[in-house]
């Protein structure tokens, strides 16, 4: 799957992923209104609105953006109905040949991590059958529990030719609270980065590993260092746009081959119609606004990496 | 909810939680067979088997065990059907007046952590209504992203009078890889423990905070230290039984009031019928075996804390 991701990024010349993180605040009113008219003020209505909204965005961007990253929390808050919309979104994006990164930030130990890996990337055994549950292409994983928590994911990735992105240095303001603390003179994120390298060393695609990393756009200096620490890890870069990261900050997240990083924007793309810059599209044409914002983002990122 | 948990522990004289972590390997064959006869080799069949199995255990222990801890990964691997069984289990345990600790190990940043908190402990807004999704009483939370990731959970806990257990020192063999690393002479888990204290200081129940901690039974020395670092945090202690932790290791996880810790056992209770000690019950009476194993565990823990 890492090979497919790299190929799609090269073909579209777009190292960009769109975060499908729908909230009731960002979905145009007319979509919510229609769903509530049909299903009442219920979780089903919310899930229907989420799905309609997502579908519009995906239809508008699938030919220019290689990947999507649905944030499962945004669906989980609507319970089972929300998770139905998550699964429908995953399947729909895959039918459009987009690479799907499940932003699930799971992580536990041993057999429990294995179950999470199976849930999102693998297949579960029922009787004589092996059945996929959520079936994303990649998942994000939390490293706090150490190798025991990561290894089961790596094993499933190897078997299914899928991938993970391990949280290394996150984009949020307080990420330094633990991640920046010095251990024998090195920040914790660097030590985690070294482990990412190690975990990924025996499951390589053509040029990059099945095991990637998450490093926030809001920390360009750390990005530059981590790029060197994990030369074979694809870096998933959140924090661009709404969180404050700029294209010009991102040059050093890429390798000299112009590859090695994929930059995420969520609100900046999916709620583009709410920005002054794209307001002319209007809420009814929110998806066209998203397409234009994606094109602008691709140009911004490409000017930084080339 | 922390008050209710403490009261139930005192009333039942049982600082014990049973981990409802069903796997196809542990569910008695006759239950799986019946479900497959009805639903075929499908995720629905697996979910039905999980639910039947759980219900049997809950019916057998609800009057002697104050709390359950369903591990959501074990349900998530069966996709939407599995999560339906999770929700059904949560609701059923609550109807039996058990305290439900959702072992979800979620954690993200800002609005995303808020969505997870809403999903598991709070209520989501749809139109003019506020609707609960999974609605557990407590959730486990991963601290790697720092205060930004925890604060939204604490806010929801305060509003809903619910609680969280933050991962501090996990029970697995590789937990030391990052958690034990020394920072200014202190291990990372101690620094996280100090933060737990801080996060929990302004949302107190009668004697204990809404913000608790996870510390593995397999690390008794660390448990003793962390007990002092976080005097007001209830400690959820995994790793007893199948993972190797013994009752005699646990004395120092408790405060002098005999409170402050709740010990989890999963396989040791729910798959007791597979152990030689309880084999006489037979698979058909797996729930009675679980009850006996729970009684034995309570006795073992109580002999350590008194």
């Amino acid at each position: 799957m890492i090979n497919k991701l790299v190929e799609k990024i090269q073909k579209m010349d777009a190292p960009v992923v769109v975060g499908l993180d729908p909230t009731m605040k960002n979905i145009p009113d007319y979509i919510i209104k229609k769903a509530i008219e049909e299903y009442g003020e219920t979780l089903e209505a919310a899930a229907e609105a989420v799905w309609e909204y997502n579908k519009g965005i995906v239809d508008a961007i699938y030919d220019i953006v290689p990947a999507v990253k649905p944030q499962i929390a945004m669906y989980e808050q609507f319970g089972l109905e929300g998770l139905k919309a998550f699964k429908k979104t995953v399947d729909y994006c895959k039918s459009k040949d987009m690479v799907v990164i499940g932003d699930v930030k799971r992580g536990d130990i041993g057999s429990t991590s294995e179950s999470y890996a199976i849930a999102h990337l693998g297949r579960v055994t029922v009787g004589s059958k092996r059945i996929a549950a959520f079936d994303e292409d990649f998942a994000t994983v939390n490293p706090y529990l150490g190798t025991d928590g990561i290894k089961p994911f790596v094993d499933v990735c190897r078997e299914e030719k899928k991938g993970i992105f391990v949280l290394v240095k996150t984009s949020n303001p307080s990420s330094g609270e633990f991640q920046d603390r010095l251990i024998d003179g090195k920040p914790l994120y660097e030590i985690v980065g070294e482990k990412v390298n190690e975990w990924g060393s025996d499951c390589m695609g053509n040029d990059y590993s099945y095991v990637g990393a998450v490093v926030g756009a809001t920390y360009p200096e750390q990005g530059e260092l981590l790029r060197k620490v994990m030369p074979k890890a694809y870096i998933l870069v959140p924090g661009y746009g709404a969180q404050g990261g700029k294209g010009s900050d991102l040059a050093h997240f890429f390798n000299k081959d112009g590859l090695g990083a994929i930059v995420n924007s969520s609100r900046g793309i999916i709620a583009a119609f709410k920005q002054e810059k794209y307001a002319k599209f209007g809420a009814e044409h929110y998806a066209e606004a998203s397409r234009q914002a994606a094109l602008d983002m691709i140009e911004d990122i490409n000017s930084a990496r080339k």
Side-chain angles (χ1 to χ4, degrees), chain A:
Chain A
M1 198 49 71
I2 185 69
N3 292 341
K4 178 175 175 179
L5 181 64
V6 173
E7 279 158 28
K8 283 198 71 110
I9 287 171
Q10 287 180 302
K11 203 172 141 195
M12 292 182 172
D13 196 27
V16 160
V17 48
V18 169
L20 294 177
D21 307 354
T23 63
M24 288 293 108
K25 276 182 204 156
N26 288 338
I27 299 177
D29 290 339
Y30 77 94
I31 294 180
I32 296 178
K33 210 178 143 192
K34 193 175 155 229
I36 288 181
E37 271 168 22
E38 194 167 350
Y39 296 101
E41 290 178 333
T42 59
L43 297 178
E44 215 174 344
E48 175 63 19
V50 161
W51 159 244
E52 276 299 318
Y53 176 60
N54 281 352
K55 186 173 175 300
I57 293 166
V58 172
D59 286 342
I61 61 165
Y62 75 93
D63 60 325
I64 55 167
V65 172
V68 289
K69 181 175 76 62
Q71 166 53 259
I72 201 168
M74 299 302 169
Y75 303 81
E76 215 164 294
Q77 67 183 332
F78 300 114
L80 295 167
E81 295 298 331
L83 288 163
K84 253 187 235 175
F86 177 81
K87 175 62 177 149
K88 220 164 150 183
T89 299
V90 169
D91 290 346
Y92 189 69
C93 293
K94 286 169 73 175
S95 80
K96 293 285 184 183
D97 202 40
M98 299 188 92
V99 173
V100 178
I101 302 168
D103 197 354
V104 299
K105 295 193 179 64
R106 299 305 194 246
D108 207 291
I109 59 170
S111 62
T112 310
S113 249
E114 191 189 346
S115 294
Y116 276 133
I118 286 172
H120 292 283
L121 303 172
R123 283 171 288 174
V124 71
T125 302
V126 182
S128 64
K129 294 219 175 110
R130 298 187 68 224
I131 311 171
F134 289 104
D135 208 16
E136 298 105 294
D137 298 317
F138 288 85
T140 55
V141 179
N142 188 309
Y144 188 69
L145 296 95
T147 299
D148 298 340
I150 303 294
K151 191 68 175 28
F153 277 94
V154 175
D155 292 343
V156 169
C157 285
R158 199 183 289 113
E159 198 175 324
E160 303 284 343
K161 297 200 191 319
K162 294 194 170 181
I164 54 173
F165 294 98
V166 179
L167 303 187
V168 174
K169 171 67 185 168
T170 55
S171 60
N172 54 310
S174 78
S175 75
E177 217 165 79
F178 306 127
Q179 298 166 24
D180 289 1
R181 299 302 296 265
L182 293 180
I183 293 163
D184 298 336
K186 271 184 208 169
L188 175 61
Y189 62 75
E190 189 175 344
I191 293 173
V192 176
E194 288 168 355
K195 278 282 172 189
V196 165
N197 224 12
E198 190 186 313
W199 293 324
S201 62
D202 66 343
C203 52
M204 286 290 299
N206 292 340
D207 296 305
Y208 287 94
S209 169
Y210 293 6
V211 180
V214 174
V215 183
T218 40
Y219 297 104
E221 283 171 36
Q222 290 84 338
E224 187 171 358
L225 173 103
L226 287 163
R227 177 68 290 164
K228 287 170 195 149
V229 170
M230 320 172 291
K232 298 294 182 192
Y234 234 82
I235 301 181
L236 171 62
V237 188
Y240 173 88
Q243 285 182 54
K246 296 180 204 115
S248 54
D249 293 334
L250 299 176
H252 300 295
F253 286 76
F254 292 89
N255 278 317
K256 282 184 184 151
D257 57 6
L259 294 169
I262 183 163
V263 183
N264 178 76
S265 178
S266 302
R267 270 170 295 170
I269 306 291
I270 67 172
F273 74 101
K274 297 204 153 186
Q275 295 172 42
E276 210 184 312
K277 191 176 172 188
Y278 304 107
K280 63 171 189 277
F281 287 96
E284 300 250 339
H285 299 280
Y286 74 97
E288 289 160 59
S290 295
R291 182 182 176 90
Q292 188 55 52
L295 287 168
D296 293 345
M297 177 184 175
I298 292 165
E299 199 188 319
D300 183 39
I301 305 288
N302 280 344
S303 72
R305 76 172 166 138
K306 283 175 180 170

